[in-house]
Amino acid sequence: MRTIEDQAFLWLLVGTSLAFGYIIWPYFGAVLWGIVAAIVFAPLYRRLLKATGRRAGLAAMLTVVLVVLLVIVPLMLIASSLVVEANSLYNSIQSGRLDVNQYLNDVGKTLPAWVKDLLDRFDLSNFETIRERLSQLFTQFLQSLLARAVTVGQATFEFIVALGVMLYLLFFLLRDGSSLTRRIKDAIPLHAAQRDALIEKFTVVVRATVKGSVLVAALQGALGGLIFWLLGLHAPVLWAVVMAFFALLPAVGASIVWLPVALYLLISGATWKAIILVAYGMLVIGLIDNLLRPVLVGKSTRMPDYLVLISTLGGISIAGLNGFVIGPMVAAMFIAVWDMFTTTRGTSNGSTLIPPAEADRSSLE
C-alpha cells in the first residue's frame, strides 16, 4: 500500500507534467518537428560528428545549417510560388478565363452511352449542377489557401519564433541526444525489453513516415509539377502540391490529379500531350513509390494501407499538418503496445512466445 507521501509525489509528478505541457502547447508544432528532424537527421549528424573529430557542438550546428539550406529554404520558396499561383488561378476562375463548365460539357459529350445512363440513374447528368458544386469546392479550397497564406504573413513574428524554437531544439537534441535518450529510458516505468522496443518503434516509425511517405510524396508531386510545367499547363506548383498531398494517402495517389488533366487534354485535341502525360504518370510518377519506398524504408515498418489511410486522415483532421506524422505514429505505437500485451499474456499463461523486444522487431518486418 502506498504511503501518503508516495501518492502526493505521484500527484505532484502528474500536475507538473500537465503544467509543463500546457506551457509549451503554443509551440507544440515546433517541438514536434524539432524531434522529428532530430530523428531523421541523426545519421547525418553522426557522420559529421566523425568528420569533425567528435566535436558534438560543431557537428550539430553543421547539421542544422544543412537542414535550413536543404529543407526550410526550398519549402519557403515553394510556399511563396504556391500563393502566387493560387491567387492567379482564383482570379482566373472568378473572371471566367478558366471555364470549368466548358470542360465538363466536353467531357460529357465524349462519354459512352452506358456511362451517361449510369450518371442519369444517380442524378449526376446535370453538368451545370456539378460545375457549380466543383467550382464552389475549388473556390473554397483556394480561398482557404490564400487565407492561410495571409494569416502566416500577418503572423510573421510568431512563425519566425516557432521556426527558431524548432532549430534551437534540433541543435540540442542532436548534440545531447545520447544522454537525453538514456534519461528518457530511465524515466519510463516499463520492463527494459518493452521500453527499448517502444523507443525503437517510435524512432523507426518517425523515420519511415518522413522518408517513406512524406519524401516519396514530395518527389511524386515535384515530378508531376515538372511535367505540368513542361507541357505548359496552368499553375504547375499548385498542382504539384495537390499531387503530393494525395500521394500521401494510400489507395488515392497523384493519379487523381494528372489523370483528369490527361483526359481534358485528350478531349481538347492535345492528343500528344495527353499521351505523354499518361505515360509519364504511369511510368514515372506511379512507379516511384514502388521503387523508392523499399530503398528508403526497407522492411522497417509496414502497416496495412487501410490503417495508414485512416490514421493519416484522422491525424490531419485533428492536428492539421502535424497529423501527417502524428496519425501513423499513434497507429504504429497502438499496434506495438497491443503486440506486447498479447505476448506478455502468452508468456504468463505458459506459452512459448518470443520476448517483447523480439515480438516488436518481428512486427516491424
Side-chain angles (χ1 to χ4, degrees), residues 5-336:
E5 289 83 1
D6 293 334
Q7 294 180 5
F9 180 75
L10 286 176
W11 280 110
L12 178 63
L13 179 64
V14 172
T16 53
S17 299
L18 291 176
F20 178 73
Y22 180 76
I23 290 297
I24 67 172
W25 183 255
Y27 295 99
F28 168 75
V31 173
L32 173 67
W33 288 104
I35 296 173
V36 169
I39 293 174
V40 172
F41 291 97
L44 174 62
Y45 165 74
R46 287 193 288 268
R47 291 184 182 181
L48 292 175
L49 187 62
K50 292 181 180 179
T52 55
R54 312 299 299 181
R55 286 181 284 184
L58 179 59
M61 181 58 67
L62 291 175
T63 305
V64 172
V65 171
L66 289 175
V67 169
V68 172
L69 294 178
L70 299 179
V71 179
I72 295 177
V73 171
L75 284 177
M76 288 183 173
L77 294 176
I78 292 173
S80 62
S81 300
L82 175 64
V83 171
V84 172
E85 289 192 356
N87 186 47
S88 175
L89 190 60
Y90 176 76
N91 292 331
S92 297
I93 294 175
Q94 294 296 103
S95 63
R97 291 197 304 269
L98 184 61
D99 193 351
V100 180
N101 189 29
Q102 183 62 40
Y103 166 67
L104 290 175
N105 288 333
D106 293 340
V107 172
K109 293 176 182 178
T110 60
L111 292 176
W114 66 271
V115 175
K116 293 181 180 179
D117 293 338
L118 187 63
L119 291 176
D120 289 334
R121 186 175 305 174
F122 290 96
D123 195 24
L124 295 175
S125 57
N126 189 346
F127 287 102
E128 181 63 27
T129 303
I130 296 176
R131 182 198 70 81
E132 291 178 359
R133 292 176 182 175
L134 290 178
S135 296
Q136 288 175 358
L137 289 174
F138 195 64
T139 302
Q140 288 174 0
F141 166 73
L142 291 176
Q143 286 176 339
S144 175
L145 184 64
L146 292 172
R148 289 179 180 271
V150 171
T151 301
V152 171
Q154 293 175 345
T156 304
F157 177 75
E158 289 82 357
F159 173 76
I160 292 176
V161 171
L163 180 61
V165 169
M166 189 204 80
L167 296 175
Y168 188 74
L169 180 63
L170 173 61
F171 172 82
F172 286 100
L173 288 177
L174 291 171
R175 193 192 69 175
D176 305 326
S178 299
S179 60
L180 286 174
T181 302
R182 285 194 299 269
R183 297 187 67 177
I184 292 173
K185 286 183 177 181
D186 293 337
I188 296 177
L190 293 174
H191 295 295
Q194 294 174 334
R195 177 196 64 199
D196 294 341
L198 276 179
I199 292 178
E200 179 186 0
K201 183 70 172 179
F202 176 81
T203 304
V204 165
V205 167
V206 170
R207 285 180 181 163
T209 300
V210 175
K211 290 165 57 180
S213 296
V214 176
L215 183 58
V216 172
L219 184 57
Q220 287 182 302
L223 292 172
L226 176 63
I227 193 63
F228 273 44
W229 177 70
L230 292 175
L231 294 177
L233 300 175
H234 294 289
V237 176
L238 173 63
W239 295 120
V241 173
V242 175
M243 280 187 277
F245 171 77
F246 283 112
L248 283 167
L249 306 176
V252 180
S255 60
I256 198 172
V257 176
W258 62 259
L259 193 57
V261 173
L263 179 61
Y264 168 74
L265 292 174
L266 183 63
I267 293 171
S268 61
T271 307
W272 278 110
K273 286 186 177 182
I275 294 174
I276 291 173
L277 182 56
V278 171
Y280 186 89
M282 295 176 62
L283 299 177
V284 179
I285 302 175
L287 293 180
I288 200 72
D289 180 77
N290 295 330
L291 294 176
L292 276 187
R293 193 181 298 272
V295 175
L296 294 173
V297 181
K299 297 181 179 180
S300 56
T301 179
R302 193 60 187 169
M303 291 190 295
D305 286 343
Y306 65 86
L307 186 58
V308 177
L309 176 63
I310 295 173
S311 61
T312 302
L313 290 176
I316 293 171
S317 64
I318 293 174
L321 180 63
N322 301 326
F324 285 124
V325 175
I326 296 175
M329 183 181 67
V330 172
M333 297 299 288
F334 170 80
I335 294 175

